[in-house]
Amino acid sequence: MRITKVTTRNGDSGKTNLAKGEKVLKSDDIIHALGEVDELSSVIGVCVTLSKDSDISNFLMKIQNDLFDIGGHISMNLNEDSVVNIEMISELENQIKLLNENLDPLTEFILPSGNNFSANLHVARAVARRAERSTVQLYIDSLSNNPVIMYLNRLSDYFFVLSRYYNRQNSIPETTWKR
């Protein structure tokens, strides 16, 4: 697809077209889910610019590509034949396991903190949770083993563990919740 014109005025009426050409209100659940996934990719883009580790940056960019595919899947209004597969979910789980290996067990809640990179990973985690909630609403009738929801759920876990890992690797103390 080649975009030659950004301003089309097609959305001035409060409606927008989905990938298959169907028009929906910009307040439709599907548009909310698309917006949350897009915002998540944008926050990840900030994290990429702040990362000093090329392996982490490359994996974050892979996630952005996955999210673009998920956005296309949502825009096509598909309930099956997901672009998300078990390998993508397993890859996130393996990354979480690898990053978590040498971290201290949690004894208290961690407050979002650290430096710009790790704090923005917490923003990504929160936006991933919001994207997941919007997607759950969208797929309310097909929640059982829905790979898109499973991917977004693992993704928020990944950002949390990556922030803890990064802080530990850089001797940045974790800020814990105080009662």
Side-chain angles (χ1 to χ4, degrees), residues 83-123:
V83 296
V84 177
N85 56 48
I86 196 67
E87 290 81 23
M88 294 165 70
I89 295 165
S90 293
E91 187 174 21
L92 278 174
E93 289 173 346
N94 290 337
Q95 286 290 318
I96 292 166
K97 183 178 179 182
L98 180 72
L99 295 171
N100 205 35
E101 278 179 354
N102 295 318
L103 295 178
D104 295 330
L106 291 172
T107 58
E108 282 296 341
F109 288 106
I110 303 294
L111 299 179
S113 60
N115 67 4
N116 278 339
F117 179 63
S118 54
N120 272 287
L121 288 170
H122 280 285
V123 174

Side-chain angles (χ1 to χ4, degrees), residues 130-144:
R130 186 164 14 104
E132 180 186 10
R133 290 190 302 271
S134 290
T135 307
V136 163
Q137 181 61 37
L138 187 62
Y139 294 115
I140 198 87
D141 294 329
S142 59
L143 292 178
S144 180

Side-chain angles (χ1 to χ4, degrees), residues 35-50:
E36 306 298 352
V37 169
D38 182 39
E39 183 180 352
L40 177 55
S41 182
S42 297
V43 173
I44 294 169
V46 171
C47 294
V48 168
T49 67
L50 296 170

Side-chain angles (χ1 to χ4, degrees), residues 17-169:
N17 289 332
L18 298 178
K20 289 182 178 177
E22 176 188 358
K23 265 195 180 209
V24 296
L25 287 172
K26 290 187 176 187
S27 60
D28 194 280
D29 287 344
I30 199 167
I31 302 305
H32 280 285
L34 287 169
E36 306 298 352
V37 169
D38 182 39
E39 183 180 352
L40 177 55
S41 182
S42 297
V43 173
I44 294 169
V46 171
C47 294
V48 168
T49 67
L50 296 170
S51 174
K52 293 175 177 47
D53 182 314
S54 62
D55 289 336
I56 290 173
S57 296
N58 288 335
F59 194 69
L60 291 173
M61 287 186 281
K62 182 199 173 305
I63 291 168
Q64 284 181 298
N65 279 283
D66 290 348
L67 291 174
F68 200 85
D69 288 338
I70 288 171
H73 176 86
I74 291 170
S75 184
M76 292 291 291
N77 207 6
L78 300 173
N79 283 321
E80 46 197 60
D81 297 326
S82 177
V83 296
V84 177
N85 56 48
I86 196 67
E87 290 81 23
M88 294 165 70
I89 295 165
S90 293
E91 187 174 21
L92 278 174
E93 289 173 346
N94 290 337
Q95 286 290 318
I96 292 166
K97 183 178 179 182
L98 180 72
L99 295 171
N100 205 35
E101 278 179 354
N102 295 318
L103 295 178
D104 295 330
L106 291 172
T107 58
E108 282 296 341
F109 288 106
I110 303 294
L111 299 179
S113 60
N115 67 4
N116 278 339
F117 179 63
S118 54
N120 272 287
L121 288 170
H122 280 285
V123 174
R125 175 191 52 79
V127 175
R129 288 284 187 212
R130 186 164 14 104
E132 180 186 10
R133 290 190 302 271
S134 290
T135 307
V136 163
Q137 181 61 37
L138 187 62
Y139 294 115
I140 198 87
D141 294 329
S142 59
L143 292 178
S144 180
N145 295 317
N146 185 304
V148 171
I149 293 166
M150 292 166 65
Y151 182 88
L152 292 171
N153 185 39
R154 295 310 179 288
L155 192 53
S156 61
D157 295 339
Y158 169 74
F159 292 130
F160 178 75
V161 173
L162 179 57
S163 179
R164 292 193 71 216
Y165 170 84
Y166 177 85
N167 283 342
R168 180 173 181 125
Q169 292 299 107

